[in-house]
Every structure is written in structure tokens, then in C-alpha cells.
Amino acid sequence: MDIEDYFSERGWSVTYTTSIPPREAEVFQTDDLPLSSATRDYLQSRFSKGLYRHQKEAIRHFVAGNNVCMTTSAASGKSVPFYVAGLELLNRNPECRIVAMYPLKALGREQQERWKEALGLIGLGDRVGRIDGQVPMALRAEIVRQSNVLIATPDIVHAWLLPSVSNRSVQKFLQNLSLIIVDEIHTYSGVFGSNSAFLFRRMQHIMNLLGARPQYICASATISKPISHLHELFGVEFSLVGEEFDTSPKHRVEIELVVPPRSSAFLSEVSELLYNVASRTSHNFLAFVDSRKQTEHITAIIDRWRGKGGESEKERAQEAAEFDHLQRLDVLPFRAGYEAQDRDAIQERLTRGSLRGVVSTSALELGIDIPHLTLGVLIGVPRSATSLHQRIGRIGRRTEGKVVVINTGHVYDELVFRKPEEFLNRPMADCALYLENPRIQYINALCLARQGGEHDQACAAIGIQERSEFSSTVAWPNGFIELCNRERRGEIGPDLQSMKMEAGEDPNHTFPLRDVESQFRVQWKQGPLLEPKGSLSFSQVMREAYPGAVYYYTTIPYRVYLTSLHSKNILVRREKRYTTRPVRLPTQVFPNLTTGNVHRAVRHGELAVIECNLQIRESLLGFKERRGSKEQNYVYPIDMALTNVRYTKPRFTRNYFTTGVVLSHPVLNRERVDVRTIASLLYEAFLILIPFERRDVNFAADKYRVQRGPVNEGDRFVCIYDQTYGSLRLSGRILQGDVLQKTFDRLVDLAEHDETVELNCETLEAIDAMKLSLLETMEDIFFAEIELPPPPGEFERVIMPGSKGLYIRGGNEELLIEGVFFSPADNALRYRVKSEGEIGLDDSNLERTVPIDALVEIPGESEMGLYYYDTGEIKPVT
């Protein structure tokens, strides 16, 4: 069966067809490049007809001593200059060392074999090593010692290589490091990119101390503003080899935009399509989704479809008992967070061609060469052209291919499907780095400059006298050197103390590159044994592994029966193939409009637009569980005797601090105005205009809880905010230039023309009124300082008993203040507190106290007062 037959059979509509045309290769001789004879032998044996122009140009820049970055198309052979540069350096100096960094373990594993093949020509094929988080600690130093070329993820350089600089093998490797290769640099964005920008500078700092001055070679198929991104990421200058130099061949790829019949649940229709592709066509496919849960659910449904194909449940159960499901199933999921052995098993089968299909998140977007793929299925339109071209680039690498893009019915998909001729011409995503973010800076200051950190270890290793003051010749972002010295002097403020306590003596492991929060570990408990089942950020826990959830891992369902916020451990047990979804309260937003917390505030007539610090509260009330056709509700606190799940708190909550842009207008207070839908459309319009990753920005609607300046208590607002703890201030982009005006133009277009959005007259009128206000002259808004009595030393500002605060040293847990008292042992004030699960319990053994600087107020919700030391009296602040 052809996929077109299936579409015709089942009522799928093909609404638009286009294609990426083929291109003939053009090669150039390399005789004029000043290369050694061994490197020429390599080129002659592998590329006797010559190199593509961009390959030759990159090599020319390298041999001239420049740092170079290639930004040519996917599958254009950007790795060849990596190997040539490595061969050339090793021919000049056999003692030199090279590190090749790939952002995914899967990509590094594939590249290891190619490096071995290239270096085999000069007898150094066995001098290629690879380390990542799954390589046993005891083996790493020896791998480094034996390797001329070390393949690594940035994560392992952060978590192990740099903190091990006192190890002689690591020290010698860094002293002789001559080339740093960084592939797929467009992925270095957001939290990962910002942390990595500090990582690369930490490497430079340590290498400067050890006397190394390496070159850089980088590559990416899809990147916006490469020169500025490279400078932010590395702090050094690059020569660019762009698309205009690309003369590599391309195979034709046909692209179809399709709409499902929508006669049943969307995931069921998609799963049935993929099942039929796997079982009735000759295609090997790669399907992309943007949700980890969807990768698991779609492949689990496909497995059930397989059962309907003739196998009895008993036969399938027998197969599952006798054979590893990762070797048995024809279609598997792939996503971040898998354990190494599970990820490697899926990738090996995919590369070998023994899988009919994989359903993946962006984890397989990057340059892994999967030669057998002939069909790509994009379940939803990728939100940026960067992601779109990366996903299309996986298909048709060796022969012609087809890509099917499925309309999910989402607002964004509908917009793209209305103007399909623009599908391939959208702008590449900005690589957003915010290098002055205090949390990101402090993570890296702890790693590098704390007493006994990477800097001190490097100084000790080469006999430099340790100094109290930290200095560096590296081009650091503003404020970083001073932060390092504050850390060394022990002068870190209370806002960062919780991070310092959590980090202890091992910040490199506590804080991974890809998050500013430590990760939760999922473990399957079997008697006394614990088997790891992936890692999750807190935001992923809220979606996938909340108390009582059925969590899927490589298609296998597990029940979450214990979630510990303090130890960051989640325990699971095997479960039947049920599915759960969380029941959420609307996200609560607490704008902080006090002095120092407002970044910019403007007014267009009655429209107030304020970028400020926020507290975000996400809360789950319970979950819905589907068992076949039946659905049951579970409300926290729960005591599920049948599954042995117990959770004693009334909500499962995540609190975090970030920044966002809050927009308010009197029309939002009118009856029947759908404020949340306006917030949703504002968010979609903003991301269409500025294609940030959706995981980095979110939206909400709420109301002010205090009177401040031009805003009144109870006024409703819409908000877009950074979804990252500590913020990268991405949402603030809406206040730059004419972005706000263009965002509202797009918002109005969505509201008036998108059939998936149903708006009443009052809501449409509110949108028009807000847009009309933008025509009025912009004025700055100023917020007056809160007036407090000057502190003479006999009183202190505290949260009032009976009110709540956030425990910043304990995962931002909400605690109820029961009392405030002076502790002679600390010579300071402390709070007597209870958590939500303890409220109402009369048990003196539950008494708990915390320092007052460990609790922060919730803006507009916490009641504040003054504690008088002489009397112990607390008076409210009015």
C-alpha cells in the first residue's frame, strides 16, 4: 500500500504539495591547500574527485589559523573539515589533543566510528575515545589519557572533565588541547546555550592557565544571526562559511500538508496512520512530536493496534516476558531522559534499519545519519524554521524522500495551513542567550571560582600560588568576575544562598547544563533494587510524573507512588496500560512591582505594559485516569489503596521566580471578556513573530492583588513570561522596537480569521480597544517606593503569622507562618512554620523552624509586618 492510498481510503485531505528540488554536486580540487602528505592521502582515498566548495573554504580558513564556522545545509558534509583539521594537527604534532563536542550522546556515538576511520590512515584509529555520563567514572581518566581525539558531550565536560583538572591525565590533555570542535551550534540556546557559553569560557580560562591556545571549528545547518551568536557563545572571533558556499548534492524531497478526518481522537488517528505505514508500506519512517508524553502514548497505541492485527493478548504477554520489548517492537519512542542502554538500543536498531519507525521529540532532529529513512511525519507544524528544516533534513539523505505534515488543529497549524506557500520561508529561530542571568552566572561561578573549584585546582596543579581575588583574561559577561569574587569572599546574598546550600561541594553535578534546577530521578523499585527509568525537570514532573500519575517509559507504563521534592526522587511500580492527565488550577501570576523589580513599564493611553519580576505558581488538584472507556477522577489528598499511592497535600505545586510582561487595560475587567483566550492569542502571535522555543515562554491570565501606581487591586491582566526558573528575559522582547504593535496586528488576524478560535463580541471588542490604545503616545510608568520606617535596629520586616511564604532553600515550598521568634542560638529571627500537608494537624513533633531570610514573600498575597525586638510584638505594614 502507498501512503496516498491510505489517505484516500480513510478520508485524509492533502491540502498542499510542494518539494525541495534536487541539486547536482559541484566539487573542487584541493591541490592548492597547504596540507601535509598524510592529510592529502586521506582526501585522495576518500574524496578523489574533490571537495565541495564549503568544505574546501572551511579547511582554507583553518590552515590560516582562524576559528571557523560552517552554516550550510543538512547532510552537506560539514564533518569532513573536522576530520581534515584533526589529521593535519596530529601530523604536525602527534602530542596534540582534540576535543569534539556533540550536543547529544547519540550523535557522539555515531561520530566516534568516523573519527576512528579517518585517524586510522595515520595509525591513530585506536586513539579516539568517547566519554559521556554513562561511561563509568573509573574508566574516564584512562580514556582521556589514551585519546588524541576525545568525543564528548558538553554535559560531561561540565560535570566531570573540568572539575577533574587536578587529575594528571586531564591536566595533560587540556595542556595539549589544540582544537575544539563544536557541532550543531544552533542547539546552544536558552538555558543550555547560556550555561554552555560560560562552560566554553571556563575551558578557555583553565587552558589559559595551562598554556593552551586552541582553535575552534563549529557547524550548524540552521542558525539565525550566526556571527553574533558565535561571539556570545564563545567570546572569540570566527570566520563564517555560509550557505552561498554550499555545492553539495540534494535529493528531491516531496512535502505534503495533510488534514486528518477528525472522526475520532487525534492521537488515535495518527497512531493508526503510523501503524499502517509500518505494516502495509515499504517506508521506514521518523515521526516528530513536541511532547515527551505523545512519543510514549502514540507508540503504546501502535503496539495495541499490533495486537488487533491477530496476536492474542496471551501471545503478546508471552513475547513481552521472553523478549526485550526494545528488540521486539517495530515502532519505538525516542526522547530525552532515557537511560543510556535504552537510548543506545533504539538508536542501534534505527541506524541498522531493523525498525520500521520511531516517534521522537526534537532529540533526533540533529545530524545523525539514518540512511534507511524514506518518510518523515511531522505531527504538527514545527514552531520555528530551524526545527522544520532540521526535521526535514533527516529524510532523503541517500535517495528521494517524502515528508508529511499533519495539521493538529492547533491555532498555529491552522495559520500555516491557511498560507501554505510561506511554509518553507519562515525565519530561523533566534538563538537566545541571556548571559547576565544571576542564577546561570552563579552556577558557573560556583563551578569555577569557589574555594577549591576548577580555578583553584588548575592553579595548584601547575604550582601557582592561590590568591584570594579571582582574575581572568577571558571576555566574561558583565558582572561575572565580581560575582566570582563575592563567592570567594563569602558575600553572596540571600537570593543565591539556597543554590549554594543545594550545590554543596559539587555544583557541577547538582546543576546540569540544560537546566537551572536540579533534576528528578525516576526509579523502579523491585524489592531492594532500584532500576533507573529516566530523569525529569520539575516542569516535566508536573506533566508526566506527579503523584499518582501513570508514567510511560519506552512504551511501558509505571505508576508514580512516591514523589519527594526534597531528595528529587520519584518511585514507580509497573502498571497496566492506563493513562492519566493532570487536573490543573489556572496558573497564578504574582507581579512584583516594588523598587528594583520592574525592568520597564510603559503606558499607551489606558494600556499598561510592564516587564517585571514574577512569581509563578502552577498547581495540580489531582488527575483523571482512563481505563478503557471509563474515566475516574482523583482529587488530592489521595489514598489509593489498590495502587498503594498516598499523597497528603491538597495540591501538588511548583513555585518559581522569573520575569514576564504584564498587560492590563480597563476593558479586560468587563463581564464576558475571555481574558485567558486573549492571553493565549497574544502568546501565539508573539511566537509567530519571534520564534522562540515554546518550552521557554508561556502565558497566563490573572488579576492584581495589590494597588501599585496605575494598576488597581483586582484589575485583570494578560501575561507572557519566561518559563525558565530565574528567567532569560525572552518575553521582554515584546517591548523592543515595534514588536508589540506587530504582535497585536497578528493577534487581531488570529482572532478574526482563525476558525479554531471562538470569541464572543465582548472579547473581540476588548482586543480592538487594546490595539487602538497602541496608537496613543507611549509614556513611561514610574512606581513609588514602599514607605517603611527607617530601620534603627529595633525592628525587622517579616511575614505575618497566618500568612504564607516560599521556602527558597527547599524547592520553593509554600509554608504557613505560625509564629516569629528570636533565636539566641542564631542571634537572629526565625519562623515557626508548617507545610500544607501538616496544616490542621495538632502534633508538637511536627514543629519546624526556619531562618527568616530563608522565606520570601509572595507578592500581593503574603501579609507583611514589623517585628519589634524589645517587645516581640508584630505590627502589620499598612
Side-chain angles (χ1 to χ4, degrees), residues 600 604 732-742 778:
R600 190 180 178 195
H604 292 269
R733 181 75 176 273
I734 201 171
L735 279 169
Q736 295 179 10
D738 59 354
V739 173
L740 183 61
Q741 177 67 58
K742 289 183 176 179
M778 183 180 74

Side-chain angles (χ1 to χ4, degrees), residues 407-426:
N407 186 337
T408 66
H410 187 275
V411 169
Y412 186 79
D413 289 6
E414 292 290 340
L415 176 69
V416 172
F417 271 60
R418 284 208 311 273
K419 299 177 180 179
E421 65 280 358
E422 300 177 6
F423 178 67
L424 293 175
N425 300 315
R426 292 174 297 148

Side-chain angles (χ1 to χ4, degrees), residues 817-851:
I817 313 301
E818 294 200 312
V820 185
F821 67 97
F822 181 79
S823 169
D826 300 327
N827 195 32
L829 294 180
R830 294 182 73 88
Y831 290 119
R832 189 174 293 107
V833 298
K834 279 189 176 180
S835 67
E836 275 193 300
E838 298 166 342
I839 295 171
L841 297 178
D842 184 17
D843 187 343
S844 60
N845 292 327
L846 294 175
E847 183 171 291
R848 180 179 171 194
T849 70
V850 298

Side-chain angles (χ1 to χ4, degrees), residues 3 19 53 57 86 116 120 136 147 233 288 296 352 393 417 446 460 663 686 712 755 778 816:
I3 193 170
S19 65
R53 186 181 175 194
E57 189 71 9
K116 286 182 175 180
S147 300
L233 191 59
F288 283 104
E296 301 286 356
R352 179 160 41 94
F417 271 60
L446 282 170
L663 297 89
F686 176 64
N712 301 307
E755 297 178 359
M778 183 180 74
L816 177 70

Side-chain angles (χ1 to χ4, degrees), residues 161-448:
L161 190 70
L162 287 187
S164 302
V165 70
S166 59
N167 181 286
R168 181 58 186 160
S169 295
V170 173
Q171 181 192 137
K172 185 176 179 181
F173 183 90
L174 294 173
Q175 280 177 326
N176 291 290
L177 192 55
S178 300
L179 177 63
I180 298 175
I181 293 165
V182 185
D183 201 7
E184 307 288 358
I185 61 166
H186 71 279
T187 63
Y188 291 85
S189 184
V191 173
F192 175 56
S194 300
N195 271 324
S196 295
F198 283 97
L199 171 68
F200 295 135
R201 287 167 170 83
R202 281 159 47 202
M203 287 186 72
Q204 291 171 27
H205 177 83
I206 298 302
M207 288 185 297
N208 287 352
L209 290 174
L210 299 176
R213 297 291 187 274
Q215 283 179 259
Y216 291 87
I217 300 184
C218 302
S220 175
T222 47
I223 185 170
S224 173
K225 303 174 185 175
I227 290 296
S228 60
H229 179 58
L230 287 162
H231 190 267
E232 281 197 307
L233 191 59
F234 297 99
V236 297
E237 298 303 317
F238 277 80
S239 298
L240 192 67
V241 179
E243 187 71 26
E244 68 276 15
F245 292 96
D246 189 354
T247 63
S248 62
K250 288 184 178 179
H251 295 285
R252 183 176 184 274
V253 176
E254 183 182 356
I255 300 172
E256 293 183 341
L257 275 61
V258 303
V259 180
R262 293 175 180 159
S263 55
S264 60
F266 175 74
L267 286 189
S268 295
E269 290 184 327
V270 169
S271 302
E272 186 176 1
L273 165 68
L274 297 180
Y275 167 75
N276 278 274
V277 169
S279 60
R280 299 175 62 192
T281 77
S282 60
H283 285 299
N284 285 53
F285 73 84
L286 175 57
F288 283 104
V289 295
D290 288 324
S291 160
R292 291 163 45 116
K293 285 184 70 173
Q294 285 186 352
T295 66
E296 301 286 356
H297 286 179
I298 289 172
T299 47
I301 293 170
I302 291 172
D303 188 31
R304 289 201 289 274
W305 273 98
R306 176 173 170 260
K308 294 178 181 179
E311 288 183 336
S312 69
E313 192 67 31
K314 183 177 180 181
E315 288 172 328
R316 295 173 69 240
Q318 181 66 24
E319 276 189 3
E322 293 180 356
F323 300 103
D324 183 352
H325 68 289
L326 295 182
Q327 300 301 324
R328 175 174 55 87
L329 299 180
D330 291 330
V331 179
L332 289 171
F334 194 93
R335 59 171 175 80
Y338 281 161
E339 301 301 324
Q341 66 273 16
D342 300 322
R343 182 183 60 250
D344 291 348
I346 298 170
Q347 186 187 346
E348 191 274 333
R349 287 191 65 197
L350 183 60
T351 304
R352 179 160 41 94
S354 66
L355 270 178
R356 297 308 311 279
V358 169
V359 182
S360 176
T361 60
S362 58
L364 281 178
E365 269 187 14
L366 304 184
I368 298 172
D369 187 13
I370 309 170
H372 307 282
L373 294 176
T374 56
L375 176 67
V377 181
L378 311 189
I379 302 170
V381 180
R383 296 306 189 266
S384 73
T386 303
S387 184
L388 171 66
H389 287 284
Q390 286 288 345
R391 294 179 181 189
I392 291 175
R394 300 308 103 212
I395 307 302
R397 289 193 156 212
R398 305 291 173 86
T399 184
E400 291 188 355
K402 179 191 285 284
V403 172
V404 172
V405 186
I406 300 175
N407 186 337
T408 66
H410 187 275
V411 169
Y412 186 79
D413 289 6
E414 292 290 340
L415 176 69
V416 172
F417 271 60
R418 284 208 311 273
K419 299 177 180 179
E421 65 280 358
E422 300 177 6
F423 178 67
L424 293 175
N425 300 315
R426 292 174 297 148
M428 297 295 178
D430 285 351
C431 293
L433 301 180
Y434 186 65
L435 304 183
E436 296 180 14
N437 177 277
R439 290 181 65 86
I440 289 175
Q441 283 208 359
Y442 189 52
I443 287 169
N444 289 278
L446 282 170
C447 295
L448 178 66

Side-chain angles (χ1 to χ4, degrees), residues 19 82 111 127-128 159 168 229 294 320 382 441 502 564 577 608 616 679 798 856 878:
S19 65
F82 297 170
Q111 287 292 326
R127 302 283 289 179
V128 178
R168 181 58 186 160
H229 179 58
Q294 285 186 352
Q441 283 208 359
E502 186 174 3
S564 171
R577 290 185 178 272
I616 302 296
V798 296
V856 298
T878 57

Side-chain angles (χ1 to χ4, degrees), residues 79-90:
S79 295
V80 172
F82 297 170
Y83 312 141
V84 171
L87 283 168
E88 189 64 14
L89 285 174
L90 287 166

